[in-house]
Amino acid sequence: MATTEATTNGTMPNDRHTIGISFGNSNNSIAIAVDDKAEVIANEDGDRQIPAILSYVEGEEYTGQQAKAQLIRNSKNTVAYFRDFLGQDFASIDPTHSHASAHPQEHESTVAFNIQDKADSETSTVTVSEVATRLFKRLAQSASDYSGKTVNSAVITIPTNFSDKQKAALITAANNADLEVLQLIHEPIAAVLAYDAKNEHSGSDKVVVVADLGGTRSDVAVVAARNGIYTILATAHDYEFAGTALDVVLQDHFAKEFIKWNTTDPREEARSMAKLKLESEATKKALSIGTNANFSVESLAEGADFSSTINRLRYEMIARKVFDGFSRLIEGAVKKADLDVLDIDEVILSGGTSHTPKIARNMQSLFPKATVLAPSTTPTAINPSELQARGAALQANLIQEYEAEDIEQSTHAAVTTVKHLTNAIGVLSADDVFTPIIAAETAVPARRTIHISAPAAGDVLIKIVEGGSHIKISTIEPKPKDEADSDDSDDDSDEEPEEQREKVWKVGTVLAEASIKGIKKCGKVEVMINVAADLAVTVTAREVGGKGGLRGNITAP
Amino acid sequence: MSKHTEVELTLPALPQGWEAEGNFKALGKVTKATERSIEPVGPHFLAHARRARHKRTFSEDDK
Ligand SMILES: Nc1ncnc2c1ncn2[C@@H]1O[C@H](COP(=O)(O)OP(=O)(O)OP(=O)(O)O)[C@@H](O)[C@H]1O
Ligand SMILES: [Mg+2]
């Protein structure tokens, strides 16, 4: 074990072996970054998505896939779906997902589980914090086995709506597993970072929607990415439409099929239900890859084996309500950010449920101007189940050399709370068309440079103005039909006029004018805009390759 | 020096009689801004935090 400094409560940078951890209600995953490249590592069972479950059989501890299998026979001593209970009192937790495993209990000011975790038949009261600590130990052990070094620190991802108490509880649970928490970072930002690290255009200005569709919850964040600086503009959360809701659709479907041939409903008996649930999830995952999937369970109920198949189209039909729920949630987040679907440049589909092809297709039609980053729409997409752990590992790699105190100071509100531009700042062309140089919602200080090709020689005026974008809606009347080819088109006759929506710029305040004289034919003008923390602006302009140039100041508002 | 974006557009010709000291006229001010939190994550944030804590500007940072 490395020495722990009492003063900083952190491991000394040189003794750190750091990983990134995504710690979900359904799954955990670990990544290690080497030379700016992150890799998600497998545990001893070969799993990269490690079910966040702890189970005890005669005092023996199991986690991951092995613990998940215990939900069938040993559900009482199996703890699952607990992450969101950390740092909460019993009255505020939602125990819905714990019905088929150890039930959460009120215990002092926290939540605990009564499980038989020792070889004797006594049950112990294990707090949710202790459950998390035990899982963190297992994750650290897997990472240590993989890397050959004792892993002792981590960057861990958290939802954007985690309270301070939940954050503190998560840190305590990790610390108790001998893991120093270098930083907690927001899940959607970890996902953006995982993509941007891979993308040479990471410095560009874009609005990104991160839809993190997990097992028990779906979380959406609308993020302004401005030259690699990320600002969350709005978030939305939902606990009804998530991966398990899709499992339920399949459970109901196969239960009804089963009833056709048998007399009992497998949903009415705990063990049958557990089997139905596990296999439905497996079938759902198979439908993300194939257009057909099997469902097959030995002794599902009444001792009867059951097998069936389902095709993807049918699945997409019966699960439509859930898919529509995802779309509504995501569209709602965009509205909350005061943006339009046309303002979105990128949609990152994150979380296990994001493997589903239908969801990616829905996003593509919801956001016509955006690149949808999901396995079925973009061949170079990163595995959505790995985004958060990768992002966390990249962040860990970036900051592992800093003292804990430095990290603390840099993440302080005094450094992170800054002004953001209300409007874009840009230049006007000869025919008054606005071209942005700095986008709205850019954090200041900020600096951007553009090169403008100026086709004609001579003296030019550079008009620096503010611009606001809005959506212009125009209707295109349907073309009148030719009588000749419309013998069977009675119902087309009163076709709705089509609505066309486009994003247009509106010129606002004129900030400054500048002149550059004697530009050569086919010359280039460079304009640099620097907005200081107090919104004072410095403009510099020159002919590229030319002598001189100008510099002007616009005072702060 | 930082990178730049290339755009193609026809700049207005300088109107007859346009004159300004240093070829520059300030005419307005930037609209009041909203305070928001930036996420303390990623290499670009690290550079921002370094500048903020040492009170350095972009161009001082370039050197
Ligand atoms: N290939 C796949 N196709 C469809 N769904 C999948 C696939 N892989 C995993 N899932 C689903 O993703 C969900 C788990 O998502 P994820 O691993 O992101 O969990 P998490 O963040 O821990 O979840 P939670 O929302 O409970 O906190 C499960 O419902 C699982 O069935
Ligand atoms: Mg999640």
Side-chain angles (χ1 to χ4, degrees), chain A residues 85-391:
Chain A
F85 301 166
L86 280 163
Q88 303 236 59
D89 52 30
F90 184 73
S92 42
I93 65 163
D94 171 10
T96 311
H97 295 282
S98 309
H99 281 326
S101 55
H103 293 186
Q105 315 280 332
E106 180 157 22
H107 177 73
E108 290 158 13
S109 63
T110 175
V111 175
F113 301 88
N114 289 326
I115 50 173
Q116 189 187 326
D117 63 343
K118 310 218 172 52
D120 58 43
S121 56
E122 298 280 295
T123 60
S124 340
T125 301
V126 184
T127 62
V128 62
S129 177
E130 173 63 17
V131 171
T133 296
R134 291 180 189 180
L135 274 195
F136 274 125
K137 279 188 182 148
R138 297 291 294 261
L139 294 173
Q141 189 58 50
S142 297
S144 301
D145 291 347
Y146 175 89
S147 65
K149 295 171 191 138
T150 305
V151 165
N152 54 16
S153 84
V155 167
I156 306 172
T157 59
I158 51 165
T160 54
N161 63 349
F162 243 32
S163 68
D164 287 342
K165 272 178 84 181
Q166 287 175 294
K167 290 179 201 170
L170 187 67
I171 292 174
T172 304
N175 287 163
N176 289 342
D178 293 329
L179 274 178
E180 172 201 25
V181 178
L182 275 188
Q183 194 184 353
L184 298 177
I185 66 172
H186 287 142
E187 291 170 341
I189 302 301
V192 177
L193 193 63
Y195 268 109
D196 276 357
K198 196 178 104 144
N199 180 349
E200 64 244 55
H201 304 299
S202 70
S204 66
D205 292 340
K206 57 191 177 183
V207 182
V208 186
V209 167
V210 183
D212 172 12
L213 312 176
T216 64
R217 53 186 289 167
S218 293
D219 301 275
V220 185
V222 181
V223 181
R226 302 289 184 243
N227 197 17
I229 300 273
Y230 309 119
T231 304
I232 296 180
L233 301 177
T235 57
H237 310 278
D238 192 282
Y239 303 86
E240 184 185 345
F241 298 109
T244 45
L246 293 171
D247 298 341
V248 171
V249 167
L250 289 172
Q251 285 158 32
D252 291 346
H253 171 81
F254 290 117
K256 281 177 201 149
E257 289 277 297
F258 183 80
I259 300 167
K260 278 189 197 160
W261 310 99
N262 302 273
T263 50
T264 37
D265 186 337
R267 291 170 295 188
E268 276 159 13
E269 199 271 318
R271 190 173 293 187
S272 300
M273 182 61 193
K275 288 181 179 175
L276 180 68
K277 216 168 149 177
L278 279 182
E279 184 65 6
S280 293
E281 189 186 4
T283 304
K284 175 187 74 174
K285 290 184 185 177
L287 284 166
S288 290
I289 307 164
T291 48
N292 261 295
N294 290 322
F295 174 97
S296 169
V297 179
E298 268 180 40
S299 176
L300 177 56
E302 311 170 8
D305 297 349
F306 181 69
S307 68
S308 180
T309 62
I310 184 167
N311 69 39
R312 196 189 274 172
L313 268 180
R314 171 116 184 118
Y315 166 60
E316 290 174 353
M317 212 166 70
I318 60 177
R320 182 156 164 209
K321 233 182 96 191
V322 184
F323 292 139
D324 287 349
F326 294 139
S327 296
R328 264 200 312 280
L329 177 72
I330 294 164
E331 209 177 351
V334 173
K335 289 220 175 78
K336 224 165 138 184
D338 257 334
L339 294 173
D340 187 88
V341 290
L342 295 179
D343 291 313
I344 307 304
D345 302 296
E346 215 169 271
V347 178
I348 294 179
L349 281 174
S350 173
T353 300
S354 289
H355 282 98
T356 314
K358 176 70 178 167
I359 298 173
R361 277 210 312 284
N362 287 347
M363 289 305 109
Q364 197 70 81
S365 56
L366 187 56
F367 297 101
K369 289 274 185 287
T371 308
V372 175
L373 296 166
S376 61
T377 47
T378 309
T380 53
I382 301 172
N383 181 343
S385 297
E386 297 192 349
L387 285 167
Q388 294 173 9
R390 278 169 183 268

